[in-house]
Amino acid sequence: MNRQRSFIGFIVAGAIALLVIAIASFYWFFAKSPANLIASTSQPNAAILVSKLSPAMVSLLVNPDRLQALEREGELSKLKTSLFAKSGIDYKQDIQPWLGNEITLAITTLDIDRDPENGQQPGYLLALATQKPEKSREFVELLFSKRALAGANLAVEQYKGIKLISDNSQPEQDLLAGAVVGEGFVLFANDPKVLRDAINNVQAPDLNLTSSSEYQKATKELPKGSLAVAFLNLPIVAKWQGLELPEQTYDSEIISLALNPKGLLAETTFLTSAEIVPPSSPLSKPVGALQYIPASAGLAISGSNLSNLGNSDLAKLWRQATATIYGGEDVVSRLAKPLADVQKRWGINLPEDIFSWVQGEYAIALLPDKEQTTLHWIFVVEKSESVEQGVARLDAIASSNGLSINPLNIDKQKISAWTELTTATTKADVKERPSFSIETKVRGLHTTLGNYEVFTSDLETMNEILTTKDNSLIDNAKFQDSIAAIPLPNQGYIYLDWTKSQNLLERQVPVLKLVEVLGKPFFDNLRSLTVSSYGTDTRSLKGGVFFKLNNS
C-alpha cells in the first residue's frame, strides 16, 4: 500500500500545527510582556531520534501553552480544538498535562521501503517532549483505543524494550504508529519502520543527526533564546524534489526565530565546505545613497559594489535556492518587473550595461502610486570615473534607440532627460481633416546630486526627490527601527514596506494570497520586513529577515 498519503489525520495535522504556531509566534510580540518568552533549550533534543540523512527537521522549542497566554483572539485555542475534534481527543485533558517544551517534526527518509517501483514514500516523525511519561503513555493508549473503536486493526510489538503500537489501516484510512521513548518523547510516525529507525538512531549515535558534522557546525550558529529552529540538508532536499542542481555551493541551512524588542528576527546560515568570498566589503553603516530615496518607497535595496554580483557567493546561493525550492523559477523577476521592462524597452542588459560599473555605494527603489497599480523606479550610484563612463554609455544606448537627450530644470536643478517624440491626432468631424500634435514622452532622467548620480523613471519621481529632501528613507523612523535589529557590519539592506506594497505584490505573485490566508494574524499586523547578510566566516553565509509589526 502506498503510505505517502498517510499522516493526513495526525502527523500532517501536527505539521500544520507547527506552521500555524510558527506564524502565531510572529503575533506573540503584540503581548504586553514578551520578554520572558524564551526557549528552555538552545537546540532540539529530538535530533538524536532523526537520521543524519534527514532532508529537513523543524522544531518549536517552547510549550504552546506559554504562547496561548500571550494571544489576543484565541487563535491557538481554536487551532487545538479543530485539530482534535475528529479524533475524540481533548487537548486540555489528554495532552496538556504531559506536553513539554519541544515539538519536532522531521522528514526522516525519502523512501520508507526503498522500493522505487511503488513511488517515493517519505517517512515522517513527530516528536513531542513529555514531562510526565506515564501520563503520555496513557494518552498513546487512549488514542489507539479510539482508533480501534473506529474500525482500525491494532498491532503491538516490543522493539529493543520499547512498546510500539500501530494500526493496520484500511486503504481509505491513515496508518499511524506511536510509542513513548524513555522519559523524554512521545513519537508518532506514518509507519512502524520510522519508529524503529528512530530508536536505532538513539542507540547508535553515529546514525543520528547530532553526529553529523554539518549539523554540528549549523547549531553553533544558533542565537540564544531561539523559539523555533529548522535544519535543511540542501542536497537531499533537492533530491527529494527530484531536481538536478546546476551548481551546489551550500550543503546545509539552519533557520531560527527569536523575539526582538522591535519585532521578530528570522536568522539563517548557509554552510559550505568551500571557501567563499562576500560580494563586497562589509558596511559599518547604511549607505549615503539612501538619502535620495523618498520615505514613500515601497521597496529599497542598498549596498555597495554591484560589479561582481553575478559571480558572487550570494548569487550562487540564490541560484541554488531557486532551483531547490522553486524548481528554477525566478520569482524575484516578478517583483522587479519594472526593471525588467526597462531592460526590454532599451535593449540593455542590467548586469553588463549598468551593474558592471557600479563599484561604490548604490540604492535601488520602487515607489508604488497611491492606487498601488504602477511602480516608479529610482537608481542612485556613488560618483566615480567608471560611473561617468557608464552614464555616457547609457546616453549612447538611449540615442541608438531613437531617444533624444534633452536638458531640463526642476527647482533650478539641471536634469538630463531621455525623451521620445510621438504624434497624436484629433478629428472633430468626419469631414474635417485630422489635426496632428507632437507629444514628448520622458523615458528616463538622471542628474548629479552631491557625490551621487540619480536616475529615475519619470519627472514626478525626480521632482519628489528634489522637493522632499528632508523626508528621505534614511531619516525615516520606521526604516531606522527596521534596520536596528540587523547586526553591523553587513552587506546592505533589502527593505520592503508591506503596507505600501501589499496589493501590488499580490498581483505580481498570486500565491502570496494563499500564504496570507494561512498566516492571517501575522500579515494583518506586518508593517515591513528587512533582509540583510552579515558575518565574517569564510565557510558560511549568514543573514536575517527582520519583521516589523504593528504596536512594536
Side-chain angles (χ1 to χ4, degrees):
M1 177 178 67
N2 189 326
R3 293 172 179 168
Q4 186 171 349
R5 59 177 294 278
S6 60
F7 257 35
I8 294 174
F10 197 88
I11 301 291
V12 167
I16 295 172
L18 281 178
L19 173 62
V20 177
I21 289 170
I23 292 172
S25 69
F26 300 137
Y27 199 48
W28 306 334
F29 188 78
F30 311 139
K32 295 180 180 179
S33 303
N36 61 352
L37 183 61
I38 58 174
S40 58
T41 180
S42 60
Q43 55 184 275
N45 291 322
I48 62 171
L49 298 159
V50 180
S51 167
K52 65 169 64 176
L53 299 179
S54 165
M57 181 183 75
V58 58
S59 301
L60 182 69
L61 302 178
V62 64
N63 189 298
D65 293 320
R66 295 181 64 195
L67 315 183
Q68 188 168 329
L70 302 180
E71 64 180 342
R72 282 185 171 183
E73 299 179 8
E75 289 85 3
L76 292 179
S77 297
K78 295 172 186 176
L79 171 65
K80 294 168 185 174
T81 301
S82 62
L83 277 177
F84 299 105
K86 294 182 180 180
S87 66
I89 298 296
D90 182 281
Y91 174 83
K92 188 173 183 180
Q93 178 180 325
D94 301 323
I95 299 178
Q96 188 181 59
W98 57 263
L99 186 61
N101 293 319
E102 180 179 339
I103 302 175
T104 289
L105 177 69
I107 302 164
T108 60
T109 178
L110 297 183
D111 194 1
I112 295 172
D113 61 8
R114 300 179 183 177
D115 183 359
E117 294 185 2
N118 61 3
Q120 196 174 59
Q121 303 167 40
Y124 298 93
L125 179 70
L126 180 65
L128 308 174
T130 175
Q131 304 177 93
K132 299 178 180 179
E134 286 305 316
K135 283 283 186 183
S136 55
R137 286 188 180 90
E138 292 174 8
F139 167 72
V140 173
E141 297 283 351
L142 173 66
L143 175 65
F144 281 96
S145 65
K146 288 181 178 291
R147 290 175 70 89
L149 290 174
N153 298 317
L154 298 187
V156 180
E157 66 173 296
Q158 289 287 330
Y159 184 75
K160 296 187 177 180
I162 295 173
K163 182 180 179 180
L164 310 184
I165 307 177
S166 60
D167 56 44
N168 187 12
S169 300
Q170 301 301 314
E172 67 275 8
Q173 296 177 327
D174 303 319
L175 187 145
L176 181 67
V180 179
V181 178
E183 301 294 310
F185 285 97
V186 176
L187 305 183
F188 293 102
N190 59 332
D191 192 287
K193 186 178 187 303
V194 175
L195 295 183
R196 290 193 289 270
D197 287 343
I199 295 168
N200 291 339
N201 290 333
V202 175
Q203 298 184 355
D206 60 321
L207 297 178
N208 66 48
L209 192 57
T210 59
S211 68
S212 164
S213 59
E214 290 296 322
Y215 183 76
Q216 291 171 5
K217 288 188 292 183
T219 52
K220 289 180 181 179
E221 302 295 332
L222 287 175
K224 293 182 179 180
S226 298
L227 299 177
V229 174
F231 177 75
L232 301 176
N233 189 322
L234 297 177
I236 301 179
V237 170
K239 184 180 178 181
W240 180 34
Q241 299 297 315
L243 301 172
E244 293 290 336
L245 299 181
E247 58 181 308
Q248 180 181 306
T249 304
Y250 298 92
D251 305 311
S252 60
E253 174 188 9
I254 196 159
I255 306 166
S256 63
L257 297 178
L259 286 177
N260 178 281
K262 300 264 182 204
L264 183 102
L265 180 63
E267 194 169 75
T268 184
T269 302
F270 293 87
L271 296 108
T272 176
S273 55
E275 193 88 3
I276 61 173
V277 179
S280 60
S281 300
L283 301 169
S284 58
K285 62 181 180 178
V287 299
L290 286 168
Q291 66 186 295
Y292 300 111
I293 302 299
S296 59
L299 172 68
I301 304 171
S302 61
S304 68
N305 189 10
L306 285 171
S307 62
N308 190 44
L309 184 62
N311 296 320
S312 69
D313 295 294
L314 193 61
K316 293 177 183 178
L317 168 62
W318 176 250
R319 288 193 291 270
Q320 181 174 337
T322 52
T324 303
I325 302 171
Y326 302 106
E329 179 187 1
D330 189 0
V331 293
V332 168
S333 63
R334 290 176 176 266
L335 302 180
K337 190 174 183 298
L339 301 181
D341 291 342
V342 170
Q343 287 192 108
K344 184 176 180 180
R345 185 187 306 136
W346 287 14
I348 62 173
N349 180 289
L350 285 175
E352 294 180 7
D353 297 322
I354 297 181
F355 295 169
S356 62
W357 44 264
V358 179
Q359 298 175 357
E361 296 180 1
Y362 70 88
I364 303 171
L366 299 177
L367 285 68
D369 57 19
K370 293 181 179 179
E371 292 75 25
Q372 292 195 24
T373 56
T374 306
L375 283 175
H376 310 277
W377 56 263
I378 300 172
F379 178 45
V380 183
V381 58
E382 188 177 12
K383 293 279 287 184
S384 67
E385 184 177 343
S386 63
V387 168
E388 292 180 3
Q389 295 172 353
V391 172
R393 182 177 179 181
L394 288 180
D395 285 340
I397 292 174
S399 296
S400 66
N401 281 280
L403 302 180
S404 301
I405 303 170
N406 298 307
L408 299 173
N409 282 286
I410 300 177
D411 195 26
K412 298 182 181 180
Q413 175 69 32
K414 293 182 179 180
I415 311 289
S416 293
W418 297 308
T419 62
E420 179 182 18
L421 297 180
T422 61
T423 58
T425 60
T426 57
K427 195 173 182 181
D429 188 271
V430 292
K431 296 181 179 180
E432 294 182 7
R433 296 179 62 188
S435 59
F436 293 86
S437 61
I438 297 177
E439 296 180 351
T440 302
K441 291 187 176 181
V442 175
R443 298 301 186 187
L445 308 96
H446 66 92
T447 188
T448 300
L449 294 173
N451 194 39
Y452 298 88
E453 192 72 14
V454 180
F455 301 80
T456 67
S457 57
D458 49 76
L459 283 165
E460 292 77 13
T461 304
M462 181 65 80
N463 182 66
E464 184 175 357
I465 294 172
L466 297 175
T467 57
T468 57
K469 296 178 181 178
D470 297 329
N471 192 28
S472 67
L473 186 65
I474 198 169
D475 297 321
N476 183 266
K478 294 180 180 178
F479 177 74
Q480 288 294 333
D481 284 346
S482 294
I483 66 174
I486 304 295
L488 286 169
N490 57 50
Q491 301 294 329
Y493 305 101
I494 299 175
Y495 171 78
L496 175 68
D497 188 312
W498 177 251
T499 58
K500 294 173 183 173
S501 307
Q502 179 180 1
N503 294 338
L504 191 62
L505 290 173
E506 289 171 349
R507 285 192 291 272
Q508 297 287 351
V509 188
V511 73
L512 190 58
K513 290 285 289 183
L514 175 61
V515 176
E516 289 177 52
V517 171
L518 292 174
K520 192 175 187 300
F522 166 56
F523 283 98
D524 283 351
N525 292 279
L526 177 61
R527 180 184 294 174
S528 66
L529 62 88
T530 307
V531 184
S532 184
S533 63
Y534 42 86
T536 57
D537 193 330
T538 58
R539 295 189 183 276
S540 67
L541 183 63
K542 192 169 190 175
V545 182
F546 178 70
F547 298 93
K548 184 77 171 66
L549 306 171
N550 287 328
N551 302 326
S552 61

